[in-house]
Amino acid sequence: MASMNLWRASEHEPLTDQGWDDGWAREAIAEIVADAEAAASADGVWPPHPRDEIGEGEVWSSLYLGSAGMLWGLARLGSRFDGARAITAALARYRSTPDHAQDPHAPSLWIGETGILMAAARLGSPAADPVRLRELIHANREHPTRELMWGAPGTMLAARACGLEAEWRESAMALWAAWNADSGLWTQELYGRASEYLGPAHGFAGTLHALRRSVPDAVLRERVGRALSPLALRDGAGLANWPPVPGDPPEKLRVQWCHGAPGIVATIGDLLPRGLAFAGGELTWHAGPLRKGPGLCHGTAGNGFAFLRLHALTGEATWLDRARRFAVHAVAQVRHERDAVGHGRYTLFTGDIGVALYVRACLDAEPSFPTVDVL
């Protein structure tokens, strides 16, 4: 398979020529934080961005696109915004009008109440409620999506972060039992159909990551190699990518954190066969920054976490340099979008705060992905 068939050039753009500087990085973080603080209402509501799927008049409260994600991210970056007060308001809004009013998956980490309560605990808010959090995690332990956004893998991460060991282990046992021994994957009953996704947001990489510490790394490593090695799409130039779902046609291929090599390497690169992890990282570098935008889920910053993971694995300066080059480009994308729209993009997974967290990770040479490796 030719290299260019592993990605589409139309979905990527040339990397900026601007180099990295630590002082510049700190100023870029401060700029994004200051813009977010200035744009917020007192109870933590931000104007929606036209590229996010938020309807006119809707206010989202959860981690992925809502107030909780912004408040959690601002706190991680040292903001003095009153997040403890604002997360209380976000929780009340969610309980009155959930982000997905018709969706039954309210216990989830990214879209549901679990993520808001986790953020409340981290912000030291009086809205923190470990009893309710325990109930939600327990209720979600056998959710049929078996992925991070809606299912038990996400709520397991919250349980572990908040010290709910019994709930975490109970969910891990159910997840282990649901592992398909024939395919080596999990089946996701998601959005009205059954699939076997491979990436971290909706599939194998994120689900397996949630089992860390409950299953020995040696067992996970063997299963990762057995499941993902034969599904990797390779070329003759040392590059590799994965489809969202095994057997997807070429037009379905992505080079994103949510689907494709960047997210798989960033999430479980230490469990992949080393050569395959390198091939996924090289693919991410050669494809270049994403035209979709700068964010974490399907943007330039999210892809850059693959380089940080490979730097942590190898200590090689090349990977850190590549991560930082992507950070410079992502900030340029933030500024370009802000100028075009008239304000920033105020979400954790698609917006500017996620980029600021990535720039901080590049400063610290730290591969921990927000809400997946650190909560």
Side-chain angles (χ1 to χ4, degrees):
M1 177 176 287
S3 295
M4 288 303 293
N5 286 342
L6 297 182
W7 77 89
R8 285 175 291 282
S10 61
E11 296 175 359
H12 300 266
E13 60 190 34
L15 185 64
T16 179
D17 291 332
Q18 181 181 341
W20 169 274
D21 175 82
D22 285 5
W24 167 90
R26 293 187 180 93
E27 290 174 2
I29 294 168
E31 172 192 316
I32 291 172
V33 169
D35 176 69
E37 291 172 337
S41 68
D43 58 353
V45 175
W46 281 267
H49 193 279
R51 294 178 68 181
D52 288 320
E53 298 176 1
I54 300 176
E56 186 68 29
E58 291 183 10
V59 177
W60 281 32
S61 305
S62 57
L63 276 181
Y64 186 80
L65 291 180
S67 298
M70 285 294 297
L71 296 167
W72 180 86
L74 283 169
R76 293 285 304 175
L77 292 166
S79 171
R80 295 185 178 181
F81 188 81
D82 189 356
R85 175 181 180 275
I87 198 70
T88 302
L91 183 60
R93 283 195 304 272
Y94 180 87
R95 287 172 172 170
S96 171
T97 309
D99 291 2
H100 284 256
Q102 304 304 315
D103 204 299
H105 309 320
S108 71
L109 176 66
W110 285 349
I111 307 295
E113 189 176 341
T114 293
I116 304 172
L117 286 173
M118 182 283 302
R122 288 290 178 258
L123 291 163
S125 170
D129 185 345
V131 174
R132 174 62 175 162
L133 185 58
R134 183 178 285 110
E135 291 172 353
L136 291 168
I137 293 163
H138 181 80
N140 211 42
R141 69 192 183 282
E142 295 187 18
H143 196 282
T145 59
R146 303 184 185 94
E147 43 81 82
L148 285 179
M149 178 169 278
W150 299 108
T155 47
M156 282 170 62
L157 298 180
R160 194 165 65 193
C162 294
L164 301 177
E165 290 288 316
E167 287 71 23
W168 166 55
R169 293 191 181 280
E170 181 184 61
S171 296
M173 289 175 63
L175 199 59
W176 177 262
W179 201 335
N180 188 323
D182 294 329
S183 70
L185 305 173
W186 281 273
T187 299
Q188 287 81 36
E189 296 176 25
L190 185 66
Y191 305 137
R193 64 185 182 127
S195 302
E196 290 181 320
Y197 284 98
L198 301 181
H202 289 306
F204 178 82
T207 303
L208 182 132
H209 174 73
L211 285 176
R212 292 180 190 265
R213 289 173 37 194
S214 67
V215 178
D217 278 0
V219 174
L220 296 179
R221 191 169 288 112
E222 188 276 332
R223 291 212 175 190
V224 166
R226 180 152 45 92
L228 293 187
S229 293
L231 297 175
L233 305 177
R234 306 292 295 263
D235 70 354
L239 309 182
N241 199 5
W242 286 268
V245 174
D248 271 348
E251 58 267 23
K252 293 276 191 176
L253 279 176
R254 297 288 183 268
V255 183
Q256 301 174 173
W257 180 82
C258 50
H259 298 296
I264 289 174
V265 173
T267 309
I268 57 171
D270 58 316
L271 300 174
L272 282 168
R274 191 60 60 94
L276 199 52
F278 291 157
E282 290 291 349
L283 180 282
T284 305
W285 174 251
H286 284 278
L290 280 160
R291 291 188 186 277
K292 278 189 176 181
L296 293 175
C297 186
H298 37 265
T300 300
N303 283 15
F305 272 99
F307 307 139
L308 290 176
R309 177 64 62 195
L310 291 170
H311 175 259
L313 280 173
T314 66
E316 294 176 3
T318 297
W319 294 114
L320 182 58
D321 176 68
R322 289 177 173 184
R324 289 174 168 177
R325 292 287 304 281
F326 265 44
V328 173
H329 193 97
V331 170
Q333 289 177 307
V334 165
R335 290 168 174 166
H336 176 77
E337 285 203 16
R338 188 191 302 145
D339 289 344
V341 175
H343 61 73
R345 192 170 182 177
Y346 305 113
T347 72
L348 175 58
F349 270 84
T350 64
D352 305 350
I353 284 298
V355 175
L357 289 166
Y358 175 60
V359 176
R360 169 58 62 188
C362 288
L363 266 173
D364 298 338
E366 169 54 59
S368 295
F369 193 92
T371 77
V372 175
D373 297 304
V374 58
L375 275 172

